[in-house]
Amino acid sequence: DTEVTQTPKHLVMGMTNKKSLKCEQHMGHRAMYWYKQKAKKPPELMFVYSYEKLSINESVPSRFSPECPNSSLLNLHLHALQPEDSALYLCASSQTGLSEKLFFGSGTQLSVL
Amino acid sequence: GQNIDQPTEMTATEGAIVQINCTYQTSGFNGLFWYQQHAGEAPTFLSYNVLDGLEEKGRFSSFLSRSKGYSYLLLKELQMKDSASYLCAVSPYSGGYQKVTFGTGTKLQVIP
């Protein structure tokens, strides 16, 4: 199994809603990542978990709350988002070695109304 | 921090060869990645260079010069399905994860 699975594929939410994005991998990877990608822009790193501990938070607003309940799962909890948060949210995972590539999920296309 | 530059767009003909350049400035370097991303899809890994020189993998090759902060991706025998964005990315290894920063990407259009 060489897949990173993200759900849902599409999400529309209002600015007062609370929703969660989910990511799962069964490759035994101990590093997991959240990226945000706006249209025609490259992915931007948001959070990194290594061995289930938050290692990087790239100054992301607190309305985004990551969670890594175990080594296979990564969640992104969303609350009180703004329309400018509309984007493709990509989850990725990797081994923890020196030159390991990232495996990306197909993403969740989020629209905030 | 990292600064990565790539051409924004390129057009090439089916069957031809195209070279996509990438220059970078980074504090801490542990390798350069190339990813391919089709519109609306996830990035997929193409190549990784950590030492100077050329890495060949089928129709795709990638070159790195660390002293010049320069890399290129070479695509041979172009096919229509190669129309995609190509992302150059650098990573300073931080122990246990890759802090990958992507360049702006080069949108390649392959025409008949």
Side-chain angles (χ1 to χ4, degrees), chain A residues 70-82:
Chain A
N70 61 54
S71 59
S72 299
L73 294 174
L74 185 66
N75 298 321
L76 186 63
H77 303 298
L78 314 173
H79 174 53
L81 293 194
Q82 304 296 309

Side-chain angles (χ1 to χ4, degrees), chain A residues 30-31 33 35 37 41-43 45 48 50-51 55-56 58 88 90 94-102 104-106, chain B residues 30 33 35 37 40-45 48 50 57 87 91 93-105 107:
Chain A
R30 301 303 296 274
Y33 311 77
Y35 278 84
Q37 187 174 25
K41 298 289 187 183
L45 184 64
V48 180
S50 179
Y51 295 97
S55 299
I56 292 181
E58 291 286 83
L88 180 67
L90 293 163
S94 74
Q95 300 280 13
T96 54
L98 200 58
S99 58
E100 299 297 336
K101 63 189 178 189
L102 269 60
F104 283 88
S106 55
Chain B
N30 185 52
F33 297 85
Y35 282 82
Q37 187 174 27
E41 298 183 11
T44 54
F45 171 80
Y48 172 75
V50 66
K57 193 183 293 186
L87 301 163
S91 175
Y93 181 65
S94 302
Y97 55 86
Q98 302 282 356
K99 189 180 178 185
V100 176
T101 300
F102 289 91
T104 51
K107 186 176 179 181

